[in-house]
Amino acid sequence: MNQFIPISQPSITQKEIDYVNDAVTSTWISSLGKYIDRFEAEFAAFCGSRYAICVSNGTVAIQLALTAYGIGEGDEVIMPNLSFIATANATLHCGAKPVFADIDPSNLCLDPNAIEALITPKTKAIMPVHLYGHPAQMDAILKIANKHGLWVIEDAAEAHGATVNGKRVGSWGNCATFSFYGNKNLTTGEGGMITTDDEDFYNRCRHLRDHAMSKEKRYWHTAPGFNFRMTNIQAAIGCAQLERVADFMAKRQLIFDWYKTYLGDFKGVSLNNTDAWATNAYWLICLENKSWNLESRDAFMVELKKRGVDSRPYFYPMSQMPYINEFPDTPVTNQIYQQGINLPTYFDLKEEQVKFICEILRQLLDD
Ligand SMILES: *Cc1c(COP(=O)(O)O)cnc(C)c1O
C-alpha cells in the first residue's frame, strides 16, 4: 500500500536544525542577530540585486513595497487576474485598487499586451506575478512601465531562482517580493523578502518595517509604520535553505522531467510550458486538460485523492472573490483556471512516487 503523497512538504535537514539551535542558544531570538544580516546579504546576492529586506511574510512584503512607493488611496495597480489572493489583498490593505489584466496562456503570467488598455491617470504600478515558478515577460513589461512612468513590483513569491533572458527574477523590477512560506521553493516557516537596487527605497522599507522610528531620536516615529520584522530564528532556517538552493532548483527540474517522462502529453493533457527566454523554478507541477470544466476537474481531484495522491486546483480569478466581485475582460484567465491542477512537487519526492502518480493519472484520464 502506497502512502498518501502530499502536494508539498518542506525539506528540513540537520543544517537547518543546527542553525536554529545556534540562533536560539545565542538568545538572539527576536529580530536582531547575525542570521538576519546574513540572510539579507546572501539572498540579495542570490537574486543579483543590491539590497534585500526580510519581513514577516510575502504578503506584507508587497504591502511594505507599495507603501514605500507612496501608493495608497485613489491609486491603481495592474496585476494578473490569476494569482494567489495575497497579490490583491496586500494592494487593498494599502487602500489602492487592484486592476485585473489577463494572462498569457503559454506561461500563465501577466500578458504584456493586456496592460496598456488598463492604464489610467490613477495607475501607479504594475505587479507581474511569476506564477507557479514561471517568470513573467519582464523585458516587455518594463518597456511599458518606463513609457508610462510606472513602478514595477515583481511578485516573485513562487519563483526563487527563475530567470528571464538569463537574469534572475528579483533583479528586474524596481523591486521584487518573495515568500518563504512552508510550501514555497525556499522556506523559513513564515517569512518574506523585498529585493531592490534602489538605496532610497531600501532605506524607506527598513524604516517602515520597524514602526518608522527615527534613526537620530529613539522612540520618535515619523510615520505610521509597521512591525513587519522577521525573527533571527526564521532567518537561521533561511540561511541553511539558501546554502541548499542549488540542490532545490536542480531537484525541481528533475521532478518535472520525471512527470514529462511518465505522463508526457497523454490524452492531450499538458504539463508546465517554459518559454524559450525563461527558466522555470517549478514551484508546482501544473497539469492542464482542455476537456475539463470546474465540475469534471474537481471530480478528477477527488478520484486522485482516493488513490492516495494530493492535488490542488489552479487559483480562482481574484476578481471573483465576493468582496471584489468584478467582471474584468480576462477570457484566458476565466477559461484556464477551470482546467488546471497542481501535482505533488517537493524536494523529497522520489522517482518511484512520480511514476506511481503518473500511472494513476493515466488510469483516470483513460476512463
Ligand atoms: C505565497 C504567495 C504570496 C504570499 O506569501 P505569504 O508568505 O504566504 O504571505 C504572495 N503572492 C503569491 C503569488 C504567493 O504565491
mmCIF file with all atom_site columns, all heavy atoms in Angstrom, residues 57-59 83-84 86-87 129 155 157-158 179 181 184 191, ligand 1:
data_model
loop_
_atom_site.group_PDB
_atom_site.id
_atom_site.type_symbol
_atom_site.label_atom_id
_atom_site.label_alt_id
_atom_site.label_comp_id
_atom_site.label_asym_id
_atom_site.label_entity_id
_atom_site.label_seq_id
_atom_site.pdbx_PDB_ins_code
_atom_site.Cartn_x
_atom_site.Cartn_y
_atom_site.Cartn_z
_atom_site.occupancy
_atom_site.B_iso_or_equiv
_atom_site.pdbx_formal_charge
_atom_site.auth_seq_id
_atom_site.auth_comp_id
_atom_site.auth_asym_id
_atom_site.auth_atom_id
_atom_site.pdbx_PDB_model_num
ATOM   1   N N   . ASN A 1 57  ? 6.350  37.985 6.212   1.00 0.00 ? 57  ASN A N   1
ATOM   2   C CA  . ASN A 1 57  ? 5.783  37.065 5.216   1.00 0.00 ? 57  ASN A CA  1
ATOM   3   C C   . ASN A 1 57  ? 5.722  37.754 3.843   1.00 0.00 ? 57  ASN A C   1
ATOM   4   O O   . ASN A 1 57  ? 6.013  38.950 3.722   1.00 0.00 ? 57  ASN A O   1
ATOM   5   C CB  . ASN A 1 57  ? 4.399  36.544 5.646   1.00 0.00 ? 57  ASN A CB  1
ATOM   6   C CG  . ASN A 1 57  ? 3.401  37.659 5.866   1.00 0.00 ? 57  ASN A CG  1
ATOM   7   O OD1 . ASN A 1 57  ? 3.053  38.372 4.940   1.00 0.00 ? 57  ASN A OD1 1
ATOM   8   N ND2 . ASN A 1 57  ? 2.955  37.828 7.104   1.00 0.00 ? 57  ASN A ND2 1
ATOM   9   N N   . GLY A 1 58  ? 5.334  36.990 2.848   1.00 0.00 ? 58  GLY A N   1
ATOM   10  C CA  . GLY A 1 58  ? 5.324  37.511 1.480   1.00 0.00 ? 58  GLY A CA  1
ATOM   11  C C   . GLY A 1 58  ? 4.205  38.496 1.211   1.00 0.00 ? 58  GLY A C   1
ATOM   12  O O   . GLY A 1 58  ? 4.309  39.333 0.304   1.00 0.00 ? 58  GLY A O   1
ATOM   13  N N   . THR A 1 59  ? 3.141  38.409 1.985   1.00 0.00 ? 59  THR A N   1
ATOM   14  C CA  . THR A 1 59  ? 2.016  39.330 1.807   1.00 0.00 ? 59  THR A CA  1
ATOM   15  C C   . THR A 1 59  ? 2.400  40.733 2.279   1.00 0.00 ? 59  THR A C   1
ATOM   16  O O   . THR A 1 59  ? 2.177  41.719 1.559   1.00 0.00 ? 59  THR A O   1
ATOM   17  C CB  . THR A 1 59  ? 0.776  38.830 2.595   1.00 0.00 ? 59  THR A CB  1
ATOM   18  O OG1 . THR A 1 59  ? 0.527  37.470 2.246   1.00 0.00 ? 59  THR A OG1 1
ATOM   19  C CG2 . THR A 1 59  ? -0.430 39.669 2.290   1.00 0.00 ? 59  THR A CG2 1
ATOM   20  N N   . SER A 1 83  ? -3.749 34.723 -9.705  1.00 0.00 ? 83  SER A N   1
ATOM   21  C CA  . SER A 1 83  ? -2.649 34.704 -8.731  1.00 0.00 ? 83  SER A CA  1
ATOM   22  C C   . SER A 1 83  ? -3.205 34.257 -7.395  1.00 0.00 ? 83  SER A C   1
ATOM   23  O O   . SER A 1 83  ? -4.426 34.203 -7.204  1.00 0.00 ? 83  SER A O   1
ATOM   24  C CB  . SER A 1 83  ? -2.020 36.098 -8.577  1.00 0.00 ? 83  SER A CB  1
ATOM   25  O OG  . SER A 1 83  ? -0.960 36.065 -7.629  1.00 0.00 ? 83  SER A OG  1
ATOM   26  N N   . PHE A 1 84  ? -2.300 33.965 -6.459  1.00 0.00 ? 84  PHE A N   1
ATOM   27  C CA  . PHE A 1 84  ? -2.734 33.773 -5.082  1.00 0.00 ? 84  PHE A CA  1
ATOM   28  C C   . PHE A 1 84  ? -3.262 35.121 -4.588  1.00 0.00 ? 84  PHE A C   1
ATOM   29  O O   . PHE A 1 84  ? -2.719 36.176 -4.924  1.00 0.00 ? 84  PHE A O   1
ATOM   30  C CB  . PHE A 1 84  ? -1.559 33.292 -4.219  1.00 0.00 ? 84  PHE A CB  1
ATOM   31  C CG  . PHE A 1 84  ? -1.918 33.108 -2.777  1.00 0.00 ? 84  PHE A CG  1
ATOM   32  C CD1 . PHE A 1 84  ? -2.981 32.314 -2.402  1.00 0.00 ? 84  PHE A CD1 1
ATOM   33  C CD2 . PHE A 1 84  ? -1.184 33.747 -1.788  1.00 0.00 ? 84  PHE A CD2 1
ATOM   34  C CE1 . PHE A 1 84  ? -3.326 32.157 -1.062  1.00 0.00 ? 84  PHE A CE1 1
ATOM   35  C CE2 . PHE A 1 84  ? -1.506 33.590 -0.439  1.00 0.00 ? 84  PHE A CE2 1
ATOM   36  C CZ  . PHE A 1 84  ? -2.580 32.799 -0.078  1.00 0.00 ? 84  PHE A CZ  1
ATOM   37  N N   . ALA A 1 86  ? -3.052 36.951 -2.126  1.00 0.00 ? 86  ALA A N   1
ATOM   38  C CA  . ALA A 1 86  ? -2.198 37.908 -1.422  1.00 0.00 ? 86  ALA A CA  1
ATOM   39  C C   . ALA A 1 86  ? -1.839 39.112 -2.298  1.00 0.00 ? 86  ALA A C   1
ATOM   40  O O   . ALA A 1 86  ? -1.729 40.237 -1.799  1.00 0.00 ? 86  ALA A O   1
ATOM   41  C CB  . ALA A 1 86  ? -0.909 37.221 -0.955  1.00 0.00 ? 86  ALA A CB  1
ATOM   42  N N   . THR A 1 87  ? -1.661 38.890 -3.593  1.00 0.00 ? 87  THR A N   1
ATOM   43  C CA  . THR A 1 87  ? -1.286 39.969 -4.510  1.00 0.00 ? 87  THR A CA  1
ATOM   44  C C   . THR A 1 87  ? -2.326 41.088 -4.462  1.00 0.00 ? 87  THR A C   1
ATOM   45  O O   . THR A 1 87  ? -1.985 42.270 -4.366  1.00 0.00 ? 87  THR A O   1
ATOM   46  C CB  . THR A 1 87  ? -1.144 39.418 -5.947  1.00 0.00 ? 87  THR A CB  1
ATOM   47  O OG1 . THR A 1 87  ? -0.502 38.146 -5.906  1.00 0.00 ? 87  THR A OG1 1
ATOM   48  C CG2 . THR A 1 87  ? -0.350 40.354 -6.826  1.00 0.00 ? 87  THR A CG2 1
ATOM   49  N N   . VAL A 1 129 ? 3.238  38.665 -11.667 1.00 0.00 ? 129 VAL A N   1
ATOM   50  C CA  . VAL A 1 129 ? 3.414  37.543 -10.739 1.00 0.00 ? 129 VAL A CA  1
ATOM   51  C C   . VAL A 1 129 ? 4.083  36.405 -11.515 1.00 0.00 ? 129 VAL A C   1
ATOM   52  O O   . VAL A 1 129 ? 3.626  36.056 -12.609 1.00 0.00 ? 129 VAL A O   1
ATOM   53  C CB  . VAL A 1 129 ? 2.052  37.062 -10.187 1.00 0.00 ? 129 VAL A CB  1
ATOM   54  C CG1 . VAL A 1 129 ? 2.241  35.896 -9.221  1.00 0.00 ? 129 VAL A CG1 1
ATOM   55  C CG2 . VAL A 1 129 ? 1.308  38.204 -9.515  1.00 0.00 ? 129 VAL A CG2 1
ATOM   56  N N   . ASP A 1 155 ? 6.000  40.204 -8.085  1.00 0.00 ? 155 ASP A N   1
ATOM   57  C CA  . ASP A 1 155 ? 5.594  39.258 -7.038  1.00 0.00 ? 155 ASP A CA  1
ATOM   58  C C   . ASP A 1 155 ? 6.267  37.926 -7.385  1.00 0.00 ? 155 ASP A C   1
ATOM   59  O O   . ASP A 1 155 ? 5.773  37.159 -8.211  1.00 0.00 ? 155 ASP A O   1
ATOM   60  C CB  . ASP A 1 155 ? 4.078  39.123 -6.956  1.00 0.00 ? 155 ASP A CB  1
ATOM   61  C CG  . ASP A 1 155 ? 3.640  38.180 -5.826  1.00 0.00 ? 155 ASP A CG  1
ATOM   62  O OD1 . ASP A 1 155 ? 4.502  37.432 -5.320  1.00 0.00 ? 155 ASP A OD1 1
ATOM   63  O OD2 . ASP A 1 155 ? 2.455  38.181 -5.478  1.00 0.00 ? 155 ASP A OD2 1
ATOM   64  N N   . ALA A 1 157 ? 6.981  35.484 -5.276  1.00 0.00 ? 157 ALA A N   1
ATOM   65  C CA  . ALA A 1 157 ? 6.764  34.554 -4.150  1.00 0.00 ? 157 ALA A CA  1
ATOM   66  C C   . ALA A 1 157 ? 6.910  33.087 -4.527  1.00 0.00 ? 157 ALA A C   1
ATOM   67  O O   . ALA A 1 157 ? 7.236  32.257 -3.689  1.00 0.00 ? 157 ALA A O   1
ATOM   68  C CB  . ALA A 1 157 ? 5.366  34.789 -3.561  1.00 0.00 ? 157 ALA A CB  1
ATOM   69  N N   . GLU A 1 158 ? 6.661  32.796 -5.832  1.00 0.00 ? 158 GLU A N   1
ATOM   70  C CA  . GLU A 1 158 ? 6.625  31.389 -6.250  1.00 0.00 ? 158 GLU A CA  1
ATOM   71  C C   . GLU A 1 158 ? 7.779  31.027 -7.174  1.00 0.00 ? 158 GLU A C   1
ATOM   72  O O   . GLU A 1 158 ? 7.739  29.972 -7.824  1.00 0.00 ? 158 GLU A O   1
ATOM   73  C CB  . GLU A 1 158 ? 5.289  31.124 -6.986  1.00 0.00 ? 158 GLU A CB  1
ATOM   74  C CG  . GLU A 1 158 ? 4.079  31.505 -6.152  1.00 0.00 ? 158 GLU A CG  1
ATOM   75  C CD  . GLU A 1 158 ? 2.743  31.246 -6.853  1.00 0.00 ? 158 GLU A CD  1
ATOM   76  O OE1 . GLU A 1 158 ? 2.748  30.823 -8.024  1.00 0.00 ? 158 GLU A OE1 1
ATOM   77  O OE2 . GLU A 1 158 ? 1.700  31.485 -6.215  1.00 0.00 ? 158 GLU A OE2 1
ATOM   78  N N   . SER A 1 179 ? 8.202  35.107 -0.940  1.00 0.00 ? 179 SER A N   1
ATOM   79  C CA  . SER A 1 179 ? 7.614  34.448 0.226   1.00 0.00 ? 179 SER A CA  1
ATOM   80  C C   . SER A 1 179 ? 8.471  33.249 0.610   1.00 0.00 ? 179 SER A C   1
ATOM   81  O O   . SER A 1 179 ? 9.020  32.571 -0.264  1.00 0.00 ? 179 SER A O   1
ATOM   82  C CB  . SER A 1 179 ? 6.191  33.974 -0.092  1.00 0.00 ? 179 SER A CB  1
ATOM   83  O OG  . SER A 1 179 ? 5.738  33.075 0.910   1.00 0.00 ? 179 SER A OG  1
ATOM   84  N N   . TYR A 1 181 ? 7.034  30.924 2.831   1.00 0.00 ? 181 TYR A N   1
ATOM   85  C CA  . TYR A 1 181 ? 6.036  30.065 3.462   1.00 0.00 ? 181 TYR A CA  1
ATOM   86  C C   . TYR A 1 181 ? 6.487  28.604 3.313   1.00 0.00 ? 181 TYR A C   1
ATOM   87  O O   . TYR A 1 181 ? 7.273  28.283 2.425   1.00 0.00 ? 181 TYR A O   1
ATOM   88  C CB  . TYR A 1 181 ? 4.677  30.306 2.793   1.00 0.00 ? 181 TYR A CB  1
ATOM   89  C CG  . TYR A 1 181 ? 3.544  29.535 3.425   1.00 0.00 ? 181 TYR A CG  1
ATOM   90  C CD1 . TYR A 1 181 ? 3.153  29.808 4.733   1.00 0.00 ? 181 TYR A CD1 1
ATOM   91  C CD2 . TYR A 1 181 ? 2.875  28.528 2.728   1.00 0.00 ? 181 TYR A CD2 1
ATOM   92  C CE1 . TYR A 1 181 ? 2.124  29.087 5.328   1.00 0.00 ? 181 TYR A CE1 1
ATOM   93  C CE2 . TYR A 1 181 ? 1.853  27.811 3.315   1.00 0.00 ? 181 TYR A CE2 1
ATOM   94  C CZ  . TYR A 1 181 ? 1.484  28.088 4.617   1.00 0.00 ? 181 TYR A CZ  1
ATOM   95  O OH  . TYR A 1 181 ? 0.476  27.371 5.203   1.00 0.00 ? 181 TYR A OH  1
ATOM   96  N N   . LYS A 1 184 ? 6.777  26.936 -0.148  1.00 0.00 ? 184 LYS A N   1
ATOM   97  C CA  . LYS A 1 184 ? 7.473  27.627 -1.240  1.00 0.00 ? 184 LYS A CA  1
ATOM   98  C C   . LYS A 1 184 ? 8.834  26.970 -1.531  1.00 0.00 ? 184 LYS A C   1
ATOM   99  O O   . LYS A 1 184 ? 9.306  26.135 -0.747  1.00 0.00 ? 184 LYS A O   1
ATOM   100 C CB  . LYS A 1 184 ? 7.633  29.112 -0.901  1.00 0.00 ? 184 LYS A CB  1
ATOM   101 C CG  . LYS A 1 184 ? 6.281  29.848 -0.783  1.00 0.00 ? 184 LYS A CG  1
ATOM   102 C CD  . LYS A 1 184 ? 5.611  30.056 -2.129  1.00 0.00 ? 184 LYS A CD  1
ATOM   103 C CE  . LYS A 1 184 ? 4.120  30.352 -2.065  1.00 0.00 ? 184 LYS A CE  1
ATOM   104 N NZ  . LYS A 1 184 ? 3.729  31.662 -1.579  1.00 0.00 ? 184 LYS A NZ  1
ATOM   105 N N   . GLY A 1 191 ? 7.684  33.841 6.297   1.00 0.00 ? 191 GLY A N   1
ATOM   106 C CA  . GLY A 1 191 ? 8.716  34.842 6.030   1.00 0.00 ? 191 GLY A CA  1
ATOM   107 C C   . GLY A 1 191 ? 8.581  35.432 4.648   1.00 0.00 ? 191 GLY A C   1
ATOM   108 O O   . GLY A 1 191 ? 7.882  34.878 3.795   1.00 0.00 ? 191 GLY A O   1
HETATM 109 C C1  . LIG B 2 .   ? 2.637  32.678 -1.271  1.00 0.00 ? 1   LIG B C1  1
HETATM 110 C C2  . LIG B 2 .   ? 2.317  33.890 -2.080  1.00 0.00 ? 1   LIG B C2  1
HETATM 111 C C3  . LIG B 2 .   ? 2.251  35.178 -1.531  1.00 0.00 ? 1   LIG B C3  1
HETATM 112 C C4  . LIG B 2 .   ? 2.203  35.454 -0.074  1.00 0.00 ? 1   LIG B C4  1
HETATM 113 O O1  . LIG B 2 .   ? 3.170  34.944 0.691   1.00 0.00 ? 1   LIG B O1  1
HETATM 114 P P1  . LIG B 2 .   ? 2.924  34.626 2.247   1.00 0.00 ? 1   LIG B P1  1
HETATM 115 O O2  . LIG B 2 .   ? 4.315  34.431 2.731   1.00 0.00 ? 1   LIG B O2  1
HETATM 116 O O3  . LIG B 2 .   ? 2.091  33.392 2.320   1.00 0.00 ? 1   LIG B O3  1
HETATM 117 O O4  . LIG B 2 .   ? 2.266  35.804 2.862   1.00 0.00 ? 1   LIG B O4  1
HETATM 118 C C5  . LIG B 2 .   ? 2.106  36.260 -2.386  1.00 0.00 ? 1   LIG B C5  1
HETATM 119 N N1  . LIG B 2 .   ? 1.969  36.092 -3.708  1.00 0.00 ? 1   LIG B N1  1
HETATM 120 C C6  . LIG B 2 .   ? 1.978  34.876 -4.273  1.00 0.00 ? 1   LIG B C6  1
HETATM 121 C C7  . LIG B 2 .   ? 1.839  34.781 -5.751  1.00 0.00 ? 1   LIG B C7  1
HETATM 122 C C8  . LIG B 2 .   ? 2.139  33.724 -3.484  1.00 0.00 ? 1   LIG B C8  1
HETATM 123 O O5  . LIG B 2 .   ? 2.118  32.524 -4.049  1.00 0.00 ? 1   LIG B O5  1
#
